[in-house]
Amino acid sequence: MLKYELEQRLDDYVEFTRHLQGLKNLKYGLGEAKFHMDGTAFRAPWCNAQTDGPALRARAILAYTQHVIKQANGDTTRAHELFALVRTDLDYVTKVWMHPGNCDIWEESRGMHYYTLLAQKTALEEGARMARTLDVNNGVAHGYERAAQEISHKLPEFWDVDHGYIVATLNKTGGIQTKNSNLDAQVLLAALHHGTPKLLTSRAVAATVNRLVHVFDRLYVVNHVQRTKIDGQWVDVAAAVGRYPEDVYDGDGSRGGNPWSLLTSSVAEYHYRLAVHMGNGPLAQYLVQVGDTYMARVARHTDADHTMREQWDKSSGYGRGAVHLTWSYAAHTSASRWRHLAIAILD
């Protein structure tokens, strides 16, 4: 029953994607970032275009296509229908990935963004593999592979030798002007969501995560508390992590940035995934223990009824911003899944 319900939801997502791709007179085309819940165009001002969107859409439908192929007993009719939607988005990506001035995932900065490029690269690589699986015109796979390779050549430019971390944005053309450090947790999200194991376990990502944690540990008053009680036992808690040091968005205004639930869960996931990569041993065990301190931080600031909010007030620790933000739950669930995998290896 659950499998059927999940497939129904994915089919709904596919049809909604088909609808959005067919909308006419959109100023930013497939890079349009926001729509009304009924699928009509959002015409008010917004940070557009966001060209990670088509790549994310493509990756989601490609994953579903893999499932469809496994269930189809050799009939690829449905898979070809799904791949037609993927091609619409990926053909767009090949044309726009190099354009500066697109918006980042926080919808605040314009330029070329690490998260966006890594999402696009991964989607193109996966699209090329699917094109070969379905025996689509060979030029399609070659075109996607060529664009992915070009992006691969661009990504090393995001390493800032002077600061010793991966920066979030290059060639800034607009948006907020106060983000001087260019240190941003979206780099970690990029590695988690779209990176290879080689990238995720790289020294560059480790240096970036370490700098983020160090900065936020000192920035937020809530991080002065280093232990909390969970199920009647005192446990250590790690630093609560925010978006970037210069952040001013507080959930409903601009009075100063706060730590975010999804980002703190993501740092936990990072440590669990490192543990899985390391395999059974003392280092993996240590990494799981570190990950647990970030999960404990999330538990400390999550409401008693398990309601998750977008942010926690940097001084009081109480929830702020969007209530029941899907991304908060998804990040915590993903971290929990990787913890389960790590524990299974250690047992």
Side-chain angles (χ1 to χ4, degrees), residues 263-307:
L263 296 174
T264 308
S265 294
S266 294
V267 179
E269 178 180 335
Y270 171 70
H271 285 87
Y272 296 142
R273 289 176 69 168
L274 289 181
V276 170
H277 178 78
M278 294 296 175
N280 195 355
L283 180 55
Q285 186 173 18
Y286 169 75
L287 288 166
V288 169
Q289 291 171 350
V290 174
D292 286 351
T293 63
Y294 287 96
M295 295 292 263
R297 172 64 70 179
V298 176
R300 175 176 174 81
H301 300 291
T302 298
D303 293 354
D305 64 356
H306 307 299
T307 294

Side-chain angles (χ1 to χ4, degrees), residues 184-193 205 209 212 263 266-267 270:
D184 194 313
Q186 65 178 278
V187 170
L188 170 60
L189 296 181
L192 291 174
H193 298 167
V205 170
V209 173
L212 284 163
L263 296 174
S266 294
V267 179
Y270 171 70

Side-chain angles (χ1 to χ4, degrees), residues 159-160 163-166 183 187 200-214 270:
W159 174 253
D160 189 315
H163 290 94
Y165 53 77
I166 301 170
L183 176 68
V187 170
L200 191 63
T201 59
S202 68
R203 292 184 178 181
V205 170
T208 305
V209 173
N210 288 338
R211 184 64 64 88
L212 284 163
V213 170
H214 175 74
Y270 171 70

Side-chain angles (χ1 to χ4, degrees), residues 103-121:
C103 291
D104 71 340
I105 64 170
W106 304 134
E107 303 176 322
E108 295 176 337
S109 295
R110 293 187 177 276
M112 296 194 76
H113 312 292
Y114 189 80
Y115 184 99
T116 299
L117 287 180
L118 195 58
Q120 292 168 337
K121 170 184 173 292

Side-chain angles (χ1 to χ4, degrees), residues 111-186:
M112 296 194 76
H113 312 292
Y114 189 80
Y115 184 99
T116 299
L117 287 180
L118 195 58
Q120 292 168 337
K121 170 184 173 292
T122 305
L124 289 164
E125 291 170 341
E126 293 174 349
R129 288 194 290 270
M130 183 59 71
R132 297 190 190 282
T133 297
L134 296 176
D135 199 23
V136 176
N137 178 351
N138 203 34
V140 173
H142 281 311
Y144 295 164
E145 288 166 345
R146 184 170 56 253
Q149 189 64 34
E150 290 171 352
I151 295 173
S152 295
H153 293 154
K154 185 70 177 176
L155 288 170
E157 296 180 21
F158 285 82
W159 174 253
D160 189 315
V161 176
D162 293 332
H163 290 94
Y165 53 77
I166 301 170
V167 297
T169 303
L170 297 178
N171 306 326
K172 293 182 182 180
T173 60
I176 60 172
Q177 301 299 315
T178 57
K179 197 173 177 179
N180 297 322
S181 70
N182 217 356
L183 176 68
D184 194 313
Q186 65 178 278

Side-chain angles (χ1 to χ4, degrees), residues 39-87:
T40 56
F42 182 82
R43 302 294 185 185
W46 201 253
C47 197
N48 279 302
Q50 294 183 37
T51 56
D52 62 312
L56 299 179
R57 247 186 340 228
R59 291 201 68 199
I61 297 178
L62 282 166
Y64 185 38
T65 305
Q66 290 278 18
H67 169 77
V68 168
I69 290 173
K70 290 178 182 178
Q71 303 296 316
N73 296 318
D75 184 355
T76 60
T77 303
R78 177 60 171 160
H80 278 277
E81 292 174 354
L82 295 172
F83 191 64
L85 298 178
V86 170
R87 283 190 63 179

Side-chain angles (χ1 to χ4, degrees), residues 83-96:
F83 191 64
L85 298 178
V86 170
R87 283 190 63 179
T88 298
D89 279 333
L90 292 186
D91 288 352
Y92 169 82
V93 169
T94 63
K95 297 173 184 175
V96 304

